Amino acid sequence: MSKEPFFYGIRHLSPAGAFYLREFLEERRPKLVLVEGPCDLGDELVHMQNPKARPPMAVLAYTMAVPVRTILYPFAVYSPEYQAVLWCGENKVPCRFMDLPTEVFLALPREAEAPEGEEDRLDVYRALDARTGEDGHETFWERTMEQAGTAQGYHAGANLFGENLRELTRERERDWAEIQLREAWMRRQIRTAVEEGVAPDDMVVVTGSYHVEGLKNWSQPPSREEEEALKALPRTEASHTLMPYSDYRLSSRSGYGAGNRAPAYYALVWEAFLRGQPMGTAYSYLSRIAAYLRESGTPVSSAGVIEAVRLALELARMRGGKIPALRDLRDAAVTCLGEGSLAAVSLAVADTEIGTGIGSLPEGMSRTSIQEDFYRQMRELKLEKYRDVSAQDLSLDLREKRSAASEKSAFLDLNRSFFLHRLRVLGVSFAQTQARCQDNATWAEQWVLRWTPEAEIELVESALKGDTILQACGVQMKEQAREAENMAGIAQVIEDAFFCGMAAAAVYATEELARRAVDTVSLEELARTAEKLSVVIRYGSIRRVDAAPLLPILDRIYYRACLLLPGACVCDDAASGSVSATLQQLNSVALAHDTLDQESLVSALWQVAGRDDLNTKLSGFAAAVLMERGLMGTEQLKLEVRRRLSPGTPADLGAGWFEGLAMKNRYALIARLSLWESLDNYLETLDDEEFKRALVFLRRAFADFTARERDEIAENLGELWNLNGQQVSEAVNVALDTQEAGMVENLEDFDFDF
Amino acid sequence: MEQNNVQRLPAEQLFQKEIDALIAAEKDPVPTGWRMSPRSVRTYICGGTAGKTKITPKYIGQERLVEIAIATLVTDRALLLIGEPGTAKSWLSEHLCAAINGDSTKVVQGTAGTTEEQIRYSWNYAMLIAQGPSPAAMLKTPVMTAMETGTIARVEEISRCASEVQDALISVLSEKRISVPELGMEVPARKGFSVIATANTRDKGVNEMSAALKRRFNIVVLPTPADLEAEMEIVRTRVEQQAGNLDLNAAIPDQEVVEKVCTIFRELRNGETLDRSQKVKSASGVLSTAEAISLLCNSMALAGSFGSGAVTDYDLAAGLQGAVVKEEEKDVLAWKEYLENVMKKRGSRWLGLYEACRELNR
C-alpha cells in the first residue's frame, strides 16, 4: 500500500478539472502519465501535442470493412485529458493511452440503439435533479465541482461523485460487462508500466471519476476468467485519424453523445481559470451576449449588463454559490437584457453558449490518403478559402478561357466542377449545387460551399472506397450502377459520370444500361433515359468527355421507345398527361440528334394521329407535333379537323382532341381561320347536354392561353360571327361574375360516367 | 377595526404564523431592511417547512421565476411582473412584500386617472393654505413612505398610467430620492427600498411603457400554468383559501369539478382539446386561472345560498356561461360549438354538465 499511482478522477470536458490537473502535474512532476483513451491511438498523441493543432479536435476510429463503424473521441481545449497530454508534451514526459484498443471497441457487439439499461444511471441523475431542485445535474456539477474553488475540493468531490454513482448503478448498467473488461485492461496497463520499471508513485492515472474505484486494486493479479475474457476479446481491422472538430458538434444538442451543452461557455470558464479570475466568466458571458445583441440591432446598455451580473450573482447566492453558474447567467440575461423573454436573446445565447469555433490541424497531420488527396486538390484548384464553416457561393464558368496562359488555368473552373461533383457523388456534404436558370444550364454552375466536421467524417468514410477521390468516386459509381433499381437510376449514374468527367465510369454504366434496356417495357423510363443520354451526348464536349460510345445505346433505346409509343396511347385522360410529356421528350431527343432514325418516330406519330381508337387528346397532340415538324400541311389539318369534329362525335372525344391539338404551336392554330370555323360548326351541332360536356374540355384547353392569345381567337370568332373583335374579346376575357362562377362550378360536378 | 370583519385581509396578516415561523427559523444572512433572508422568502412563496411549521405554497409554478424575482429585489433593482390577466402577478407581488417587509399595503393602483402626485407627494390643501407648506401639510404617497422606511412599494397595472406618471417613476427609480422644493428638502431612499410593478400583456398599446422605464426594471414574465395538473393545484388551493375567507356555506368542490372547469378553460384558451386531437374556437375572454377560481367560488355561493350546499352541474353551468360568453354573438357560437363537438362526446361523466349548459343556452 506504500507506493500507489495517483488516480486523478475527472469528468470529461471539465474546465476546472483541466486546470487543476495541470496544476497538479506541475507540482507532482510524474515520470509517466496514463490517460483513459484507446491504447492504439498512441501515435496521435504527438499530433495532439503539436503547437499548431488547435482544438476542438477529435480522434476518429473506423473499421476497414463495410459496414463502417466509427467511434469518436472529442477533445476541447478544456478537456482534462487533452491538457494532460499537452503538459506531457511540454515537459517531455512520456504519456500513454490505456483503454481498450479501438480495434476491440469497434468489434464489441453493440445492442440496438434502445438504451434501456441506461435507465438506472438516469434514475440516479433524476433523483439528483429532484434533490437539488435545479434544472439538471449539469448545473449541480457546475456548482459543486467546477466552482469548488480549490484543487482539493474538486478532486475529493469528483472522486466521491464517481464512487457514489458507481455504487448506485453497480452491476445494473447495460454495459457493466464492458466496463469490467475495460477496467481489467487498464489495470493491466498499469501493471505493465510498473513492470517496465516506472515506480508506481511516479505515475499519474487520468481517468473518468467513475473508474477510479475500479482501478485502485491494480496490483492484484487478474483472476482466471478475466485473463480469459481479455484474451477472447473480438478484434476487427480498424484505422484512425485525428481530425478538426467544431463547437457545434461538441454541444450535445447536435446529438453526439460525448460532448457538453455549452462548449463555448465552458471555453469562457477555461479562459477565466487561466486568468485566475473565476468571476470573469460572468463578465465575458454577459458582455458577449450584449455585444451580439447590439450587432443584431437591439440596443443594450452597459448598465443593463452590470445589472445582469448583479442579478446572476444574487441568483447564485440563493443557491449557496459564490460564482454564477450557466443557468444563473442565462436567466439574468433573459431578465435584464431580454425583457423577460428568452426568445429575445435566444440567438445571442446560442451563439455565446454553443459557439461557432472550429478546430484546425496543421497540414499533413495524420490523415488518410483520401484526405491528403482532398487537400492537395483544394490547393491546386484554389478552393482553400472556401474551407470555412460559413456558406459561400461559387459560380463556375466551364468554358475554356482562351486568354489563360496554361491549360490548367484555362480549365480551372471545369476541373473545379469535376472535383465538386465527385465529392457530391461520394456523399461528402461540402458542396451543394444550386438550381440553375435554364439559359446557361450547360456551361454555368452555381455552388454553395460549406465546410463542416461532418464533411470531414464523410470524407474519411469514403477512404474505404479508394485512396484518392477519383478512385473512390469510380468505385462508388460502379456500385450505384450495379445496385440501381431501374434504368433511370443507371442513366443518373451516366449523367453523374459526365458531370465528374469520368469517361470510364460512363462506359461501365452504359454497358450495364444496355444489358437492362432489353428487358424494359416502360415507355416513360425509356424516354427519360433517352433524354438523359441525349443531354450527355450533346453537351459532353463542354466537359471534354467523349460521348461517342453512348450513341449506339441511345439509338437502341430511342427505337424501342418509338415502337412502344402507339401502344402506350391507349389510356385514360388521367394518364395522358405523362404520355404526352414522354412524347414530347422523345420528339426533342429525335430533333437533337440527326443520327437517330427520324422515320421511326414520324411513322409512330402518324399512327397515333390517325387512329380513332386511341386517347383522342394524345391523337390531337401527335397531330400538333406533326404540324410543328411541318409534316402535316394545311389541307391535311383541315381534313383531320373536319373528321374529328364531325357532327355526331361525342363531345368529350371531339373537344378532347382539340385540347391535345392546342397544346402546341398556338400561333399557327390561331392563324388558321378554317380551324375555328370547323370548331364553331361542330359546337353548333351539339345539343344542350352535349354542349355542357364539350365546354368542360374546351375550358381546360383554353385555360392556359394568354389574354393576348384569347384576343386573337376572339378576333377570329368575331370575323366568323360578323362581330367587332373588341366586343368578343371583352366577353371572353372578362372575369366571371358570381352567377357564372356558380354555373361553372356546377359543370365541375358534371357526371362523366354515363 | 376588528380583523374578522375585514373582507380581505392583507397577506402578512393572513399568513402571520408562517412568516413568524420563518423569521424564527432564520439561518441565512438577512439583507438590510428585510425581515428574512432571500431563501426564506422563497420558502414562503413556494412552500416548504420552517422549523415545525408547514409553509403552504403561495405561488404554484416555476420556482425559478420566483428566485429571479427575489434576487432582483436583493440587488435593489425594481421588479416588473408582466403576464396575461390572471397569472398571479399582483398575488405574487403582494406576497413578496408581505414576506420581505411584513407589509404589503403600500400600493399605488395604476389607472388612467393616476396622477404624478400619487407617485411623489401631495398636500393637505386646507392646511397648506392656512399654514403654508410644512412637513405636516404634506401627504406622503405609498412610494415616498416606502423610501423613507426602506421598504417595497407596489405599483399595480403600471401600463395603464399616463406617460407622465410613468416618467415620475423613472426619476424615483434612478435618483432614489424625491426632492420637495416647497420645503427645500429631499427625501432619500433608505436601503431596502424598491418597487414591484405589474403590467398586463393584454393592455399593450394602452400606454406603452417607455424604453427608459423598462430599463429600470428587471422584467419577469409570468406564464399561464404549464399543464392541467398545475392549474388544478392552483385553483384548488386558492378556492379553499377564499372559501374560508368568505364563509361560504358550501362544501369545497371535489377534484372532478375542478378538473372539469380547468379542462374547459384550458381548451377554450388554447383553441384545441387537451389531447390536441381537435381544434376548438377560442373564446374572446381571457379565461384566466383567476377567473376559474372566482367561477368556482361563485358556484359555491350559489350552492350554499340556494342549493343543497354541494356544487352541482347546474351551479357550474351558470358560472361557465358567464365566464365564457363575453361578446355576445361570437362567444355564444364558440361555446355552443364546444358543447356539441367536444363536451357532448366526452361520455357519461360530462353528461350532466353538458345537459345543464345546453339548458341555459336554449
Side-chain angles (χ1 to χ4, degrees), chain B residues 131-190:
Chain B
Q131 301 172 358
S134 73
M138 191 165 75
L139 295 181
K140 290 172 183 166
T141 61
V143 176
M144 195 181 225
T145 318
M147 287 174 84
E148 279 183 343
T149 53
T151 53
I152 296 172
R154 295 166 54 203
V155 181
E156 290 287 297
E157 303 289 2
I158 193 172
S159 50
R160 290 183 178 244
C161 301
S163 51
E164 58 266 30
V165 181
Q166 296 185 6
D167 288 350
L169 205 54
I170 293 183
S171 73
V172 170
L173 288 176
S174 51
E175 304 297 325
K176 302 271 163 113
R177 56 181 63 232
I178 294 179
S179 64
V180 187
E182 292 91 333
L183 297 177
M185 66 175 222
E186 276 192 335
V187 180
R190 286 181 52 185

Side-chain angles (χ1 to χ4, degrees), chain A residues 445-519:
Chain A
E445 278 183 344
Q446 273 294 336
W447 292 87
V448 182
L449 305 186
R450 181 164 178 267
W451 185 246
T452 56
E454 280 86 345
E456 182 102 49
I457 295 177
E458 286 150 4
L459 188 63
V460 172
E461 280 169 357
S462 49
L464 290 171
K465 301 213 166 77
D467 289 337
T468 63
I469 290 175
L470 184 70
Q471 201 184 354
C473 191
V475 172
Q476 172 83 356
M477 282 186 186
K478 275 188 187 172
E479 261 175 33
Q480 281 176 355
R482 265 201 307 274
E483 285 160 18
E485 280 177 7
N486 50 28
M487 277 174 58
I490 304 180
Q492 181 63 50
V493 176
I494 297 178
E495 198 180 48
D496 277 342
F498 149 77
F499 281 135
C500 297
M502 293 166 62
V507 171
Y508 177 87
T510 312
E511 281 161 8
E512 185 70 27
L513 185 64
R515 210 171 49 71
R516 292 221 207 162
V518 188
D519 311 325

Side-chain angles (χ1 to χ4, degrees), chain B residues 10 67-68 155 157 174 180 188 202 204 235 286 293 299 346:
Chain B
E67 272 180 29
I68 295 174
V155 181
E157 303 289 2
S174 51
V180 187
R202 289 259 170 148
K204 256 188 186 159
V235 171
V286 184
I293 295 164
S299 309
R346 283 251 156 90

Side-chain angles (χ1 to χ4, degrees), chain A residues 301-322:
Chain A
S301 65
S302 303
V305 179
I306 294 169
E307 286 308 330
V309 172
R310 291 177 61 200
L311 179 62
L313 206 53
E314 217 42 67
L315 283 170
R317 280 203 190 118
M318 285 195 78
R319 289 289 178 182
K322 291 192 192 71

Side-chain angles (χ1 to χ4, degrees), chain A residues 307 310 319-320 328 331, chain B residues 39 64 67 74-75 77 218:
Chain A
E307 286 308 330
R310 291 177 61 200
R319 289 289 178 182
D328 304 323
D331 284 341
Chain B
R39 285 195 207 193
R64 186 64 175 176
E67 272 180 29
V74 178
T75 64
R77 276 275 276 193
N218 280 357

